[in-house]
């Protein structure tokens, strides 16, 4: 009778008790088709706002975080509103207010899109975990069967030597990625408290999938940052609309 290991992957390198997670609502082909249709519709709506910047414009943009946002708000209240004579001919209170709302709307939509990405990405993680569980169940059964079937035992030894023996599939070096202009990449299984390095010539931003937009980390060319704790799944964005970027990040073993 085949052996069912109950999710215990018993090798010299890994001993992990896990479980098969029931997927009550699978991602069906019909759902994928409908989602693609919806995304295509969103592109039709939003592609019009995409602005192509030169390298100089990209480099010269202000990087506005919480401190600078507070500075803007203070200037707005104490100068623009209280002393409108300080406003230059380049804009009006009305046009500034319109930009303020546009910024709020942009952040809101980005957060909503990231929430959707987190749903789909989280589902994908469960699916891959279940596939791993099933594959390892097969390996456990193969070890049992291999005791009396030499050809099965030979395959078990071959797979074990390739993936499970000490030193196999080492992940000590960071994994390198390239990213197209104005593109976004979602990476799972990121090793936290290790360096994310921007090895290209464009500005990149990283954020935990499902995280707050205000937590976004900007990484300039030639620099890096430590990936925060619990940021095991990140979204990387190439800020440049003109040039491809590149970066490296450590992936969990």
């Amino acid at each position: 009778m085949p052996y069912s290991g109950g999710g215990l992957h018993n090798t010299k390198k890994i001993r992990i008790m896990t479980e098969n997670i029931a997927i009550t609502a699978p991602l069906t082909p019909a759902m994928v088709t409908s989602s693609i249709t919806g995304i295509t519709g969103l592109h039709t709506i939003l592609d019009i706002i995409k602005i192509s910047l030169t390298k100089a414009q990209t480099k010269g943009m202000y990087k506005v975080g919480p401190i600078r946002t507070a500075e803007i708000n203070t200037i707005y209240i104490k100068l623009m509103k209280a002393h409108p004579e300080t406003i230059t001919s380049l804009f009006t209170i009305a046009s500034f207010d319109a930009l303020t709302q546009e910024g709020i709307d942009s952040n809101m939509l980005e957060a909503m899109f990231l929430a959707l990405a987190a749903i789909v990405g989280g589902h994908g993680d469960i699916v891959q975990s279940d596939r791993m569980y099933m594959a390892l169940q097969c390996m456990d059964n193969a070890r049992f069967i291999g005791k009396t079937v030499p050809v099965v035992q030979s395959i078990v030894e071959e797979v074990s030597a390739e993936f499970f023996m000490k030193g196999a599939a080492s992940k000590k070096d960071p994994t390198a990625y390239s990213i197209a202009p104005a593109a976004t990449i979602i990476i799972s299984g990121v090793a936290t408290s290790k360096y994310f390095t921007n090895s290209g010539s464009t500005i990149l931003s990283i954020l935990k999938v499902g995280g707050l937009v205000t937590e976004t980390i900007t990484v300039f060319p030639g620099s890096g940052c430590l990936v925060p704790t619990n940021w095991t799944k990140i979204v990387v964005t190439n800020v440049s609309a003109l040039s491809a970027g590149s970066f490296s990040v450590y992936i969990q073993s």
Side-chain angles (χ1 to χ4, degrees):
M1 178 177 178
Y3 169 70
S4 176
L8 178 61
H9 181 31
N10 187 12
T11 70
K12 292 181 179 180
K13 186 176 182 181
I14 303 174
R15 290 179 181 271
I16 300 175
M17 180 63 73
T18 186
E19 62 178 307
N20 188 65
I21 301 173
I23 298 176
T24 55
L27 180 64
T28 65
M31 292 168 67
V32 173
T33 300
S34 296
S35 296
I36 291 173
T37 300
I39 291 170
T40 301
L42 286 172
H43 272 291
T44 301
I45 296 170
L46 296 176
D47 279 353
I48 192 173
I49 70 172
K50 184 176 179 180
I51 301 173
S52 296
L53 302 177
T54 65
K55 290 183 179 180
Q57 286 174 320
T58 300
K59 187 176 180 180
M61 286 178 60
Y62 289 109
K63 310 307 170 190
V64 180
I67 294 177
R68 278 185 163 167
T69 297
E71 180 181 357
I72 293 170
N73 293 338
T74 300
I75 292 173
Y76 176 78
I77 294 170
K78 294 188 175 182
L79 288 177
M80 293 183 191
K81 295 287 284 187
H83 299 278
E85 67 274 15
T86 62
I87 298 174
T88 72
S89 60
L90 297 176
F91 67 95
T92 64
I93 282 289
S95 64
F96 186 87
D97 288 344
L99 278 180
T100 300
Q101 185 59 51
E102 191 171 348
I104 293 170
D105 293 341
S106 297
N107 290 339
M108 176 192 67
L109 287 176
E110 182 182 15
M112 293 175 69
F113 294 150
L114 287 174
L116 287 173
I119 292 172
V120 178
H123 187 87
D125 287 345
I126 293 172
V127 168
Q128 295 294 10
S129 177
D130 283 355
R131 291 180 70 242
M132 187 79 256
Y133 177 90
M134 294 172 186
L136 294 181
Q137 288 286 300
C138 178
M139 278 291 289
D140 284 342
N141 279 338
R143 289 189 184 90
F144 179 81
I145 295 170
K147 293 178 181 180
T148 56
V149 183
V151 65
V152 173
Q153 180 61 27
S154 176
I155 295 172
V156 169
E157 292 174 356
E158 178 185 339
V159 174
S160 296
E162 183 175 357
F163 296 102
F164 305 135
M165 295 302 182
K166 185 177 180 180
S170 174
K171 296 295 182 181
K172 291 184 178 179
D173 294 329
T175 301
Y177 296 86
S178 60
I179 181 168
T184 296
I185 298 176
I186 294 178
I187 303 174
S188 300
V190 176
T192 61
S193 299
K194 289 185 175 292
Y195 264 96
F196 172 100
T197 302
N198 184 347
S199 55
S201 58
T202 67
I203 298 173
L204 305 177
S205 70
I206 65 171
L207 177 64
K208 175 184 177 181
V209 171
L212 299 175
V213 175
T214 54
E215 297 174 341
T216 301
I217 299 174
T218 300
V219 187
F220 293 92
S223 65
C225 69
L226 286 175
V227 178
T229 303
N230 298 324
W231 282 35
T232 56
K233 189 169 187 178
I234 61 173
V235 54
V236 182
T237 301
N238 184 358
V239 176
S240 173
L242 296 177
S243 303
S246 60
F247 62 92
S248 62
V249 65
Y250 288 86
I251 303 299
Q252 297 173 4
S253 298

